[in-house]
Amino acid sequence: MKRDFLAIESLTTEELHALLDRAAKMKADRRPSDVLAGRSIGMIFEKPSTRTRVSFEVAIAELGAHAVVLNASELQLGRGETIEDTARVLSRYLHALVVRTFEHDRLERLAQWGDIPIVNALSDLMHPCQALADLLTVKERFGKLEGVSLTYVGDGNNVAHSLLTGCAMVGMNITVATPAGYEPISQIVKRAEELAAGTGARVEVTTDAAAAAEGADVLYTDVWASMGQEREVEERRLIFAPYQVNTALVARSASNAIVMHCLPAHRGEEITDEVIEGPQSVVWDQAENRLHAQKALLEWLLT
Ligand code: CP
Ligand code: NVA
């Protein structure tokens, strides 16, 4: 049966650990392979992307496969052809499809109607490929995942959702600090709590950023207005101002804490220039790890 990767929970905990180990190996021994020779992997982007687009295209090339990069506005999809029809047609040509879109439901419909693995390259609800790279980065820095505490400060968005699930599954403690009204959605928090009960992790949601940062091993943030929320930028800038990751907030975290950001960053908003350029920032390794994590993911989906 084909497997999709729409959410971190598309993997079992064992599969998630194995995939992270495989990604670390592929990183240590980076060289082109022909493991996916003869395969064609499509990519549809309905939103802009730098990291996801380039890291997937390079991952596909390094695995010996061929990337077919499709801009949604150049597809009949952009002129009203249905998701269901697109899924069935593309399944006849491609071996997998990587998709960045708006409503998460669009990915679920592609997965339901297509016969090939569908990979979530970001939806309004989740960004699981990012969380894979994030967990790889944490493991690289701390030599373990279990017991490491991550504090996410900012908007309870797609990145926060995938981190909640990912951390809970691997036994990392996660605290999400957001302004009131911008919390992660309750079903995802509830599910993370259930997963955490099995791994001994702690899941917390709060509006108190300073308390949340206290003693954290990882401080994580993301943009205050995600793609598709452009009209809310001004309003959010005011509401989120107390949730900036700056030197004062970093000082509250553990002395060997790392600072993470999925990028792109808005310096002076969710993170200061000083912090993102500072010695605790691991954002470039984090961005690099997208490549290695996605190579492991594609290999797992297609072999
Ligand atoms: N972090 C991330 O997904 O970046 P892009 O939007 O550039 O792909
Ligand atoms: N939350 C951000 C992540 C970008 C990689 C967005 O959805 O725009």
Side-chain angles (χ1 to χ4, degrees):
M1 204 188 73
K2 70 137 173 161
R3 298 286 297 265
D4 301 297
F5 184 66
L6 303 191
I8 286 286
E9 266 209 273
S10 300
L11 302 168
T12 64
T13 304
E14 294 70 40
E15 287 167 343
L16 174 56
H17 283 293
L19 202 143
L20 294 173
D21 288 346
R22 179 69 184 136
K25 254 205 195 83
M26 287 174 126
K27 179 173 184 175
D29 186 20
R30 184 175 172 188
R31 57 180 155 161
S33 93
D34 57 5
V35 66
L36 299 185
R39 313 288 184 98
S40 293
I41 300 176
M43 299 202 278
I44 298 180
F45 284 86
E46 296 188 318
K47 292 174 176 170
S49 170
T50 296
R51 281 143 289 271
T52 308
R53 151 105 211 238
V54 178
S55 58
F56 262 114
E57 196 165 340
V58 173
I60 290 165
E62 290 190 10
L63 295 170
H66 169 66
V68 182
V69 185
L70 304 159
N71 183 324
S73 62
E74 293 161 5
L75 292 172
Q76 298 289 4
L77 192 60
R79 293 181 59 244
E81 187 167 18
T82 65
I83 289 266
E84 290 76 6
D85 292 358
T86 304
R88 283 175 287 183
V89 170
L90 292 182
S91 291
R92 301 289 176 105
Y93 308 133
L94 300 168
H95 299 91
L97 185 60
V98 175
V99 183
R100 169 166 289 193
T101 191
F102 292 86
E103 298 87 8
H104 192 75
D105 167 65
R106 292 171 73 75
L107 292 167
E108 283 174 349
R109 283 156 61 205
L110 281 169
Q112 186 188 337
W113 289 88
D115 298 327
I116 54 175
I118 305 296
V119 175
N120 179 0
L122 181 147
S123 67
D124 289 345
L125 190 67
M126 290 175 188
H127 196 2
C129 291
Q130 181 66 52
L132 287 181
D134 298 341
L135 294 178
L136 181 60
T137 310
V138 170
K139 195 163 180 193
E140 202 166 74
R141 289 286 166 157
F142 293 98
K144 61 172 185 175
L145 293 170
E146 205 173 345
V148 175
S149 61
L150 181 148
T151 291
Y152 174 99
V153 181
D155 186 25
N157 61 17
N158 43 11
V159 169
H161 289 155
S162 291
L163 281 171
L164 273 161
T165 313
C167 289
M169 276 173 74
V170 300
M172 280 174 63
N173 301 316
I174 177 162
T175 304
V176 176
T178 72
Y182 295 87
E183 296 89 355
I185 68 168
S186 57
Q187 298 98 296
I188 291 186
V189 176
K190 220 172 127 234
R191 180 63 190 142
E193 284 167 351
E194 283 169 16
L195 290 164
T199 59
R202 192 170 29 73
V203 175
E204 233 175 282
V205 176
T206 174
T207 54
D208 189 341
E214 211 63 58
D217 298 312
V218 181
L219 269 188
Y220 196 120
T221 191
D222 181 20
V223 291
W224 290 339
S226 285
M227 292 180 276
Q229 297 173 331
E230 286 75 14
R231 275 176 313 169
E232 297 174 39
V233 165
E234 289 306 322
E235 180 192 353
R236 283 173 174 256
R237 215 171 262 154
L238 296 175
I239 294 168
F240 282 85
Y243 293 83
Q244 183 184 65
V245 174
N246 51 33
T247 310
L249 199 72
V250 174
R252 293 179 173 271
S253 61
S255 57
N256 65 340
I258 58 172
V259 175
M260 299 180 73
H261 191 310
C262 60
L263 305 176
H266 293 147
R267 289 170 165 78
E269 292 185 23
E270 76 275 2
I271 193 162
T272 59
D273 191 52
E274 197 178 8
V275 168
I276 199 167
E277 299 295 345
Q280 287 165 279
S281 164
V282 299
V283 299
W284 315 119
D285 290 337
Q286 193 185 347
E288 178 187 333
N289 284 340
R290 296 292 305 276
L291 170 67
H292 310 299
Q294 289 158 195
K295 279 173 77 173
L297 175 69
L298 291 174
E299 186 189 71
W300 173 74
L301 284 171
L302 291 171
T303 58

